[in-house]
Amino acid sequence: MLSQESLQQIDREIAKYPPGKRQSALISALRIAQQEKGWLSKEVIEFAAGYIGVPPIAAWEVASFYGMYDLTPVGRHKITVCTNLSCTLSGGVHVAEYLKKKLGIGFNETTPDGMFSLKEGECMGACGDAPVLLHNNHRMCSFMTIEKIDQMLADLERQ
Amino acid sequence: MSARGLILAGLDGDRTWRLQDYVARGGYEVFRKILAEKTPPDTIIAEMKDSDLRGRGGAGFPTGLKWSFMPRSFPGNKYLICNSDEGEPGTFKDRDILRYNPHTVIEGMLIGAYAMGCSRGYNYIHGEIFEVYQRFEEALEEARAAGFLGQNILGSGFSFELFAHHGYGAYICGEETALLESVEGKKGQPRFKPPFPASYGLYGKPTTVNNTETFASVPFIMKMGGKAYMNLGKPNNGGTKIFSVSGHVCRPGNYELELGTPFSELLAMAGGMRGGRQLKAVIPGGSSSPVVPGAIMMDCTLDFDSIAKAGSMLGSGAVIVMDETVCMVRALERLAWFYHEESCGQCTPCRDGTGWMYRVVHRIEHGEGRPEDLDLLLSVAGNIAFRTVCALGDAAAGPVQSFVKHFADEFEYHIENKKCLVPPAVQETGSQIYVSQPC
């Protein structure tokens, strides 16, 4: 179900916790699984639960509670825009509107070619870098002017 | 970043975060000294109490007192947790500490672990800052390789293992017992207290949870002495504090200042108001702290007591500055949505009340407000606050109560005239994309 590399990453997480506390690595295991698969299907969640050694419902609870998991398919590039107050005061809403127009999709939608998904995010703890957005959960993009957004989209399209 | 502080002083962004740089700045000296001299834990806790250091995560609880709650003679593991789940809107200081000075957090945790007899620790890092999580893991590797972490550290007989734990997008996990649930691999729903973490924490064992900036302050306190640290600030408000300034200023960013510094000085350091516009309001300590009108804020000093007198909280030191272009109804609508989104769903007043408050503010903002709506908002807010397991309910109620209190005219205008007191064209000028540049 998951690659050897992903399993090794999960094992490294498990090793951080005391014996018998493998469940502590569940949040990371689901994160690692999602990075490989793009999103968390029922099968992937149940596999992660089995690998950690918890009942599937325990993994479902975590997967549905934390906001950065995707329980439905998303595009190759998920862009999450912060529209909370600090970012909004520096143009966060305009960034979101520009991306919607440019990609032709709304929040929680994916472009027909499966390249881009757009999400509205909550505070990412980087308000001094406003406007900020997150690429595929793990890359923070700061000070996002229109020019930088255009550049970012062009770079991602080439990938 | 300001050069005036302690934690952020002498740093050069991405170039000076490594162990060798920290050691060159005098890092790990005080920890070595404690190990070499076998400083009694009570002496360390007494220094911490003398420092008047109050928790930097938002609640401002005296750190030395918190440390003294840990049972001394407990057999078995005790845990030490660093709370870097920084998601309070407006707050972005812990990210910079971890990016630019991670070893000061590690050294602070080592000293805390030594003083409280903890053998294992975790740094819980906010989901959205994965790159920072990776850097902290690298810093941990450096500290392990240098013998500062692990078993029998520097031959002292003291052992401490420290790991990074990555969150995945839940504001509530900044609440310390939700954080503990999350480290245990569960959904982050806060626990009922008491028992407090010092008696029943991670895996049911005695645990202390402190904020990143709190731990980062510890080496400086131990180096200069508690009293000297306190004197940087003022009694009951010891030391320096990092203020995260965002919103309508020319230079948003982190500024580390002595507690008790006038707000006007911070505003000037941040370049003053953007476009020369008028200051309207300030949220002084993260979105959960009540909003303060600009004129009142200009008379405040930045410390726990002064901000409390102004009817708000120093909180996390996240200063959100709003100018005259802001519609306060619209600003509150966004914050109300945030608390509705982030309520963990455990307590009915918060789960249902936050959504209710959002819907009422939303309809006022969109010209569908009713004459009775302000009373309704205050009633709902009053019935959430202090009626929930954790402080998220209070945090959600505070903005609603303070916005309505200080800016009632704007809410009433919206309800009566079905439109905003601040013309849309004016609002537009204040919501443009802006990145730091000379103002």
Side-chain angles (χ1 to χ4, degrees):
Chain A
M1 178 68 77
L2 290 180
S3 69
Q4 209 50 42
E5 195 195 333
S6 291
L7 295 178
Q8 280 169 3
Q9 282 183 39
I10 295 173
D11 290 342
R12 275 202 295 276
E13 294 295 329
I14 292 170
K16 293 177 179 176
Y17 305 96
K21 305 296 182 192
R22 289 171 66 97
Q23 186 172 348
S24 287
L26 183 56
I27 296 173
S28 287
L30 290 170
R31 183 241 308 159
I32 292 160
Q34 176 166 294
Q35 285 304 112
E36 182 183 328
K37 300 290 184 188
W39 65 288
L40 294 177
S41 64
K42 180 171 180 283
E43 291 72 25
V44 170
I45 293 172
E46 288 177 359
F47 175 84
Y51 192 79
I52 295 289
V54 295
I57 186 65
W60 270 106
E61 279 192 351
V62 166
S64 58
F65 186 85
Y66 294 86
M68 290 166 69
Y69 296 120
D70 292 302
L71 304 185
T72 50
V74 291
R76 259 179 67 195
H77 303 291
K78 182 176 81 162
I79 297 170
T80 312
V81 187
C82 177
T83 59
N84 209 307
L85 185 57
S86 291
C87 272
T88 290
L89 297 176
S90 287
V93 169
H94 283 278
V95 165
E97 290 307 316
Y98 183 74
L99 278 164
K100 284 181 190 171
K101 211 172 102 193
K102 179 126 181 164
L103 298 173
I105 53 175
F107 284 137
N108 301 315
E109 290 178 0
T110 300
T111 52
D113 61 1
M115 277 290 276
F116 294 102
S117 294
L118 204 53
K119 295 230 166 190
E120 184 172 30
E122 286 303 346
C123 187
M124 297 166 185
C127 325
D129 294 6
V132 290
L133 49 86
L134 210 53
H135 170 236
N136 283 348
N137 281 350
H138 289 180
R139 187 164 67 97
M140 177 87 71
C141 305
S142 300
F143 305 112
M144 295 310 283
T145 57
I146 297 297
E147 298 73 44
K148 284 182 80 173
I149 295 169
D150 286 343
Q151 185 63 50
M152 178 190 79
L153 293 178
D155 289 347
L156 293 177
E157 257 164 14
R158 269 198 300 276
Q159 274 180 24
Chain B
M1 282 185 293
S2 81
R4 217 166 119 175
L6 299 171
I7 299 167
L8 299 182
L11 305 181
D12 186 13
D14 277 328
R15 285 178 288 274
T16 51
W17 66 270
R18 291 197 170 273
L19 182 103
Q20 63 194 44
D21 306 307
Y22 184 63
V23 168
R25 291 194 294 271
Y28 289 111
E29 262 171 31
V30 73
F31 175 61
R32 277 180 188 277
K33 186 159 171 267
I34 287 168
L35 290 186
E37 294 177 357
K38 300 194 186 305
T39 308
D42 283 341
T43 307
I44 295 173
I45 290 175
E47 278 312 322
M48 291 300 292
K49 285 183 175 171
D50 282 347
S51 75
D52 276 358
L53 173 70
R54 294 172 60 174
R56 301 304 196 217
F61 192 83
T63 305
L65 188 61
K66 193 187 241 187
W67 285 16
S68 72
F69 293 155
M70 283 288 269
R72 219 41 78 71
S73 54
F74 183 86
N77 270 342
K78 286 184 274 188
Y79 292 98
L80 190 62
I81 308 250
C82 178
N83 184 346
S84 302
D85 192 32
E86 183 177 52
E88 171 80 11
T91 319
F92 49 93
K93 63 193 177 64
D94 299 338
R95 171 172 174 251
D96 274 4
I97 296 172
L98 294 174
R99 283 197 294 177
Y100 301 140
N101 209 0
H103 284 285
T104 186
V105 178
I106 297 173
E107 187 179 10
M109 290 191 77
L110 277 163
I111 296 168
Y114 174 89
M116 289 178 273
C118 301
S119 54
R120 194 177 263 265
Y122 294 95
N123 184 8
Y124 190 105
I125 298 176
H126 193 218
E128 283 84 346
I129 53 171
F130 183 73
E131 292 142 315
V132 177
Y133 166 76
Q134 288 179 309
R135 172 163 301 176
F136 193 75
E137 294 239 283
E138 264 192 82
L140 287 175
E141 278 308 314
E142 288 184 323
R144 275 185 207 115
F148 291 124
L149 288 171
Q151 296 300 304
N152 190 23
I153 295 168
L154 307 175
S156 65
F158 168 65
S159 302
F160 182 61
E161 303 280 2
L162 179 58
F163 304 94
H165 180 101
H166 188 220
Y168 226 53
Y171 168 69
I172 189 60
C173 291
E175 197 278 345
E176 65 176 3
T177 60
L179 184 150
L180 296 174
E181 290 288 300
S182 186
V183 177
E184 292 181 5
K186 303 168 190 163
K187 56 186 174 177
Q189 290 192 319
R191 298 174 182 171
F192 198 79
K193 295 166 282 288
F196 290 95
S199 47
Y200 190 93
L202 182 63
Y203 310 127
K205 302 285 190 267
T207 302
T208 290
V209 184
N210 287 131
N211 169 256
T212 318
E213 187 185 354
T214 306
F215 280 123
S217 307
V218 172
F220 297 98
I221 292 170
M222 297 313 295
K223 199 176 293 178
M224 69 173 67
K227 280 275 180 265
Y229 181 84
M230 187 277 277
N231 283 327
L232 288 175
K234 55 192 216 183
N236 201 35
N237 300 271
T240 62
K241 171 85 191 77
I242 300 173
F243 294 96
S244 303
V245 185
S246 67
H248 287 146
V249 293
C250 285
R251 287 191 299 272
N254 282 316
Y255 299 89
E256 187 177 0
L257 295 171
E258 302 82 5
L259 282 172
T261 303
F263 167 74
S264 55
E265 206 170 307
L266 177 67
L267 187 58
M269 287 179 84
M273 297 302 295
R274 196 180 293 170
R277 294 193 293 265
Q278 289 295 310
L279 174 66
K280 182 175 193 172
V282 176
I283 299 178
S287 67
S288 305
S289 66
V291 68
V292 178
I296 298 177
M297 197 63 204
M298 287 303 277
D299 288 334
C300 286
T301 55
L302 294 164
D303 53 79
F304 292 93
D305 299 337
S306 174
I307 306 282
K309 257 187 231 151
S312 190
M313 304 187 306
L314 187 79
S316 59
V319 179
I320 306 175
V321 177
M322 290 177 276
D323 69 21
E324 57 196 317
T325 66
V326 174
C327 164
M328 297 309 274
V329 181
R330 194 168 171 194
L332 179 62
E333 182 195 16
R334 185 61 185 85
L335 292 180
W337 172 253
F338 170 72
Y339 290 103
H340 173 49
E341 272 287 293
E342 298 296 337
S343 172
C344 81
Q346 184 174 210
C347 311
T348 305
C350 176
R351 183 189 60 239
D352 290 0
T354 51
W356 194 357
M357 291 195 300
Y358 167 71
R359 290 190 298 276
V360 174
V361 181
H362 179 81
R363 75 179 177 228
I364 296 174
E365 166 65 15
H366 291 84
E368 292 163 11
R370 305 165 194 168
E372 67 275 19
D373 274 352
L374 291 189
D375 287 338
L376 175 63
L377 266 181
L378 293 176
S379 164
V380 177
N383 280 298
I384 300 172
F386 308 110
R387 286 179 164 83
T388 52
V389 161
C390 84
L392 191 140
D394 319 341
V400 169
Q401 291 163 328
S402 59
F403 271 72
V404 171
K405 177 181 166 194
H406 291 299
F407 300 95
D409 56 334
E410 287 193 41
F411 286 81
E412 285 159 3
Y413 189 91
H414 258 279
I415 293 169
E416 279 168 27
N417 299 285
K418 314 292 181 201
K419 62 178 185 182
C420 186
L421 190 57
V422 182
V426 173
Q427 288 187 47
E428 191 59 23
T429 58
S431 63
Q432 293 300 313
I433 294 174
Y434 175 91
V435 299
S436 287
Q437 47 198 276
C439 221

